[in-house]
Structure formats: structure tokens, C-alpha cells
């Protein structure tokens, strides 16, 4: 396996990791849904972009009730995406290009079409097969009320009732997400053994790490108690319970048994930085997504606080921070940063709020350069390198996200950041799908692409020196060139106007981000290494909503 010279270093501490959302990356077979053959055709795009690793959102066999986060079989690839041989070929080709591979593991739940759940539903109440999940009798005289009043993250009750073979109503099962995603009972040793085996299955096939979905949620208080709306960990029956950590300790032991060691990367949404850092203790995960940075408004004091708190929390456990601006669950940041209120949270999707995309794009460029200069790893979400914005005008009948349907449209959901990528051409499908397969017109893309993406395709941006794609390539190349300053923990704030974030990384390397509305003077420097604004940067000042990297020796 061809690998870069530093194959044995702790690459997850400083890597740039690109999230591939397989349904929307590239469609080779013309069914309107992305697939692994499509990824293979475009691996060069990713290598030329200059990323170090690819994280794949779930590619396993799944009825796709939650776009693959409802896994029916971890050892098979969803037929819409390809097969196991294709995944193995993809891993080998990516490795040959120096790209590491991270696969997604979803421990909190499986699909309702998983063999275990089908067996559990067919079994009698109290049967062992039901103990792999959370089956309970209902409340009320005929058990017609759910066992408790917990609500699903996707809206509506977190319980669904099953029926007996004769059609009479039976027990209820817990699903913190959609009804098609029954929660697993991690107190059952079979659940632990199976996931450990799944990890080995993918590590044996060359996966360099796993991204752990909804990592704070698998452990539950088995009495399934009611809880107050303001309950916080550790007094919450399923978020961040202390016993969840034993799962990741056993996973870490497995990951460490490989040569080179495999990485564990957690999806840990927690407000308390100290509780967050507990997942990164030396015998648990290697890194976790830093959602505080993603949620932060484009505001100098808020960002300064998030950066400092992040560095402090990670330093306490010796872990490397991560920086994330977008992913498949959130409004794209070009859109967020173009709004009057740039703060974000799932409850605050601000769908349809007026957005200045020119301003949002300018800030997105500045935010990338700022984040790339911070100590730690950086995550990119497919399409941000093209400056794609949130698609907000998808008609209701074409929306797919269960959040949209379960909230009757009150929460518009996540489809707007999942629209298939534009590769080439002047009109949809913009090279995402071939226009004909075997002489037949191909199916429409699974979510419609905006015609305004003409001019934003990879092909268009490739040759344009001012495009987002050219900027991303340049920024990632500069990050590699200055690795000696940017790897490691060295970080020191410099005195600056309060609306300017200025810090030193390593000797002679300074980053300055101007979040004010006026030009700001630059500190003394010998060279401007790279800047986020288009055009030639001024030598002495930095423009509003702009970040620059300086050499200061
Ligand atoms: C995570 C995933 C999200 C999914 C959910 C349930 O938050 O990122 O896309 O819907 O878990 O698996």
C-alpha cells in the first residue's frame, strides 16, 4: 500500500479530512443517486484538492430511511452505491493516492430492516431477540400509550408499537431518531461483540479510522425514566451517560491493536467542554468534531472564546482539536455567514432568511483560512470547496429528510445541504450523472440542483484564479508548505483591535483575521503568504472579512 513517508505519525492530529456524502458526490450508473464508482472516477479531484483523508457517510446496505444512517447490514454495500469489491477497490485506489479512509459507524441504532430487528419483532415479548433493543409494554389499560413521553430527535414520539402476527397490538420499541431506526441495547453483550467485529471487518479492509455517529447516545438508563426538559448530563437518561465511555475504551483497544493504529473520531454534540473532553481521554477516542466552532456566529469575540475554550479543553486531555464549518446535517456556511444573524443551531436553522451570498462567500473564505491556521485537524464537507450554498427552494414533494416529514415541514430539515454536486456543463445534472446510460435518459438527481449552479461547477472553477476551488487548493497547499509552523500545539494570541483575531503559530508564522467592517493595519511582517480575498492583497492592511497568513521573521 503506497503511503506518505509519515504513515506512522498521529495523522488525525493535523489532517484535513473531506466528508464524502455518497448519495450526492457523483453518479456513475445514471440512477440519479451517487455511487462508489462515481467516487472512484473523481478521486483525482480529491487528491488535487490536497486533502489527507476521506470520511464516507454510511455506504452500507440500508433502506435509506435516514440516508444510510439506518444500517441493515454493515458487511454489505448498499446496491445503489455498489458492492464490497467496489469499496475495496476504492480504498486501494485512495490509498495509492495517499488518501486515508474513514468509515461511519452508527452504534445508537440499526435499521428496522436489520436481521436482528426483524427477528426481534417476530419473537414473543420477553424473548432474547428483543433484548437487543428496547421493547417495553405500553402504558394505559390496553398498553395504548407509549412507555414514556420521550420525543424523537426527528420530531414525534420516540416509541412505535409493533403488532403480533394475528394483527393485535403488541409492545413498543424505542427509537430516538426515526421509527425505522430502533435503538440498540448496549447492556446486551451481543451488541458490543457485534460492533467490535464490524470494526475489525472494516479495519481489516484497510479503513484507517471510524467516525462514530451520535456518540453520546448509545448508553441508556435501563429504567427509561421521565426527565425534565432542562436535564443535563450526567443526569440525563440517554445523553452522555458515564457508562457510554466503556464502549469507546474497548474500541480504542481494538484500534490500537492495528499497525498503524486506526483512529476513532466522535460525533459528540455537548455544550460542556469538560464533558466533551472526557471522550478524548488517552484510552478513548482520538478526536471529536468541534461543533462549537460551527455553531459560533461570525463574530470576533464569540470566535475568540470558542477557540480559546477549545484549545483549553483539549489541552487538558492531550488531544488535538478539530475545526468544522459544515457537514451533511447543517445549513451550508456560505448561507449562514451571509445572514444578518450568523449564529447557528439545529433549532435555529433560519430557513429562508435573506442571505447575501457574496458576503457569505467572502466570509467563508476568511473562515477557512482562519480555521486552517489553528492547531488540530480540519474537516471539509463536500461542495464547500465549490462555495455551494444551501438550496432553500426544494419543493416540499421532493424533500426526503425524515425531519421535514416528521415535523410536518416545521423544520425544513437537511436536504438543502445534500444536493448533488455540480461537476461540469451548463445545466442539471451538471455532470453529476451521465446524461444517457445504455441509450436511455438517466433518472433525475435524487434532489433537484439549482440552475444557478451553472458557473459553480468543478470544470468552471478549475481554470478561474478567483474561484473558491482555486482558493481551497491554494490554501490547502499553503497549509502543507507551512506544516512546520502549523503542526503541533504552539499558539499565542497577539495584541490587536478587538475585532481582529491575530495569533502566532510557530516562529515566524502569524494569522490575522479581520472581522470588522474597516481595513485594519497588519502587524510587522516580511511577506504575505496567502490571503482569503480575491485580487492582490494590500501590503500594510487587511480588508474587512478577510484572513491573511504572514511571515514575520
Ligand atoms: C447523526 C448523523 C445524522 C443522522 C443521525 C442519526 O447526527 O450525522 O445525519 O441523521 O446521526 O443517525
Amino acid at each position: 500500500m503506497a503511503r506518505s513517508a509519515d504513515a506512522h505519525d498521529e495523522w488525525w492530529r493535523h489532517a484535513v479530512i473531506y466528508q464524502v456524502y455518497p448519495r450526492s458526490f457523483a453518479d456513475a450508473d445514471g440512477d440519479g443517486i451517487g455511487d462508489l464508482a462515481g467516487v472512484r472516477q473523481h478521486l483525482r479531484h480529491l487528491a488535487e484538492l490536497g486533502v489527507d483523508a476521506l470520511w464516507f457517510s454510511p455506504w452500507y446496505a440500508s433502506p435509506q430511511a435516514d440516508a444510510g444512517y439506518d444500517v441493515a447490514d454493515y458487511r454489505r454495500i448498499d446496491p445503489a452505491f455498489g458492492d464490497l469489491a467496489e469499496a475495496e477497490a476504492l480504498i486501494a485506489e485512495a490509498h495509492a493516492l495517499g488518501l486515508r479512509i474513514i468509515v461511519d459507524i452508527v452504534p445508537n441504532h440499526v435499521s428496522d430492516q436489520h436481521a436482528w430487528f426483524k427477528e426481534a419483532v417476530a419473537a414473543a415479548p420477553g424473548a432474547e431477540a428483543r433484548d437487543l433493543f428496547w421493547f417495553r409494554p405500553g402504558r394505559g389499560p390496553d398498553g395504548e400509550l407509549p412507555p414514556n413521553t420521550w420525543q424523537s430527535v426527528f420530531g414525534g414520539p420516540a416509541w412505535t408499537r409493533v403488532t403480533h402476527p394475528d394483527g393485535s397490538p403488541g409492545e413498543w420499541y424505542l427509537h430516538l431518531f426515526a421509527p425505522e431506526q430502533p435503538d440498540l441495547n448496549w447492556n446486551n453483550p451481543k451488541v458490543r461483540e457485534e460492533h467490535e467485529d464490524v470494526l475489525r471487518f472494516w479495519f481489516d479492509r484497510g479503513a484507517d479510522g471510524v467516525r462514530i455517529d451520535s456518540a453520546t447516545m448509545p448508553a441508556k438508563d435501563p429504567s427509561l425514566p421521565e426527565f425534565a426538559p432542562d436535564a443535563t448530563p450526567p443526569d440525563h437518561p440517554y445523553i452522555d451517560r458515564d457508562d457510554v465511555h466503556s464502549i469507546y475504551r474497548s474500541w480504542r483497544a481494538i484500534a490500537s491493536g492495528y499497525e498503524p493504529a486506526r483512529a476513532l473520531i466522535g460525533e459528540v454534540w455537548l455544550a460542556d467542554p469538560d464533558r466533551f473532553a472526557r471522550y478524548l481521554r488517552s484510552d478513548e477516542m482520538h478526536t471529536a468534531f468541534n461543533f462549537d466552532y460551527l455553531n459560533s456566529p461570525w463574530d470576533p469575540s464569540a470566535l475568540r472564546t470558542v477557540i480559546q475554550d477549545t484549545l483549553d479543553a483539549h489541552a487538558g486531555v492531550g488531544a488535538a482539536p478539530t475545526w468544522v464549518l459544515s457537514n451533511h446535517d447543517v445549513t451550508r456556511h456560505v448561507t449562514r455567514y451571509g445572514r444578518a444573524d450568523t449564529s447557528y443551531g439545529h433549532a435555529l436553522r433560519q430557513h429562508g432568511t435573506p442571505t447575501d451570498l457574496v458576503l457569505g462567500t467572502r466570509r467563508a473564505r476568511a473562515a477557512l483560512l482562519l480555521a486552517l491556521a489553528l492547531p488540530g485537524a480540519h474537516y471539509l464537507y463536500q461542495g464547500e470547496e465549490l462555495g455551494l450554498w444551501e438550496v432553500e427552494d426544494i419543493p416540499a414533494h421532493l424533500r426526503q429528510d425524515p425531519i421535514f416529514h416528521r415535523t410536518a415541514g416545521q423544520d425544513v430539515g437537511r436536504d438543502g445541504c445534500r444536493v448533488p454536486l455540480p461537476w461540469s456543463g451548463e445545466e442539471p445534472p451538471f455532470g453529476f450523472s451521465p446524461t444517457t446510460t445504455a441509450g436511455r435518459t438517466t433518472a433525475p438527481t435524487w434532489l433537484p440542483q439549482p440552475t444557478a449552479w451553472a458557473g459553480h461547477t468543478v470544470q468552471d472553477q478549475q481554470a478561474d484564479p478567483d474561484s473558491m476551488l482555486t482558493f481551497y487548493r491554494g490554501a490547502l497547499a499553503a497549509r502543507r508548505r507551512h506544516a512546520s509552523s502549523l503542526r503541533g500545539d504552539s499558539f499565542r494570541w497577539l495584541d490587536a483591535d478587538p475585532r481582529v483575531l491575530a495569533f502566532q503559530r510557530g516562529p515566524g508564522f502569524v494569522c490575522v483575521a479581520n472581522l470588522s467592517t474597516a481595513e485594519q493595519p497588519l502587524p510587522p511582517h516580511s511577506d504575505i503568504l496567502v490571503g482569503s480575498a480575491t485580487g492582490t492583497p494590500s501590503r500594510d492592511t487587511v480588508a474587512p472579512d478577510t484572513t491573511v497568513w504572514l511571515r514575520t521573521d
Side-chain angles (χ1 to χ4, degrees), residues 66 69 106 109 154 177 181 211 213-214 267 269 328-329 414 418:
D66 184 22
Y69 284 93
V106 190
H109 45 264
F154 288 168
F177 293 91
Q181 294 167 297
R211 177 261 189 192
D213 186 78
S214 306
E267 187 202 18
W269 290 93
H328 66 295
D329 292 327
R414 304 160 294 179
R418 299 175 173 181

Side-chain angles (χ1 to χ4, degrees), residues 474-498:
L476 295 179
R479 192 176 196 262
R480 279 180 187 226
R481 258 195 327 275
H482 299 291
S484 60
S485 306
L486 292 173
R487 286 193 185 170
D489 315 330
S490 146
F491 178 92
R492 184 167 66 85
W493 290 111
L494 300 177
D495 283 340
D497 181 284

Side-chain angles (χ1 to χ4, degrees), residues 309-392:
D309 288 354
T310 301
L311 296 177
D312 291 346
H314 286 78
V317 285
T322 65
W323 309 97
V324 189
L325 287 164
S326 276
N327 66 31
H328 66 295
D329 292 327
V330 306
T331 303
R332 284 192 178 272
H333 61 276
V334 161
T335 298
R336 298 196 320 257
Y337 287 157
R339 289 174 173 159
D341 175 1
T342 52
S343 52
Y344 186 73
H346 289 329
L348 279 181
R349 240 181 263 277
Q350 295 193 60
H351 177 77
T353 314
T355 298
D356 176 344
L357 292 180
V358 173
L359 179 65
T361 302
R362 182 179 180 93
R363 289 175 171 170
R365 294 168 71 112
L368 177 79
L369 218 48
L370 169 61
L372 286 177
L374 294 168
H378 190 95
Y379 284 82
L380 304 178
Y381 174 52
Q382 68 177 37
E384 67 168 88
E385 79 277 23
L386 305 178
L388 300 186
W389 57 89
E390 185 79 1
V391 181
E392 298 204 286

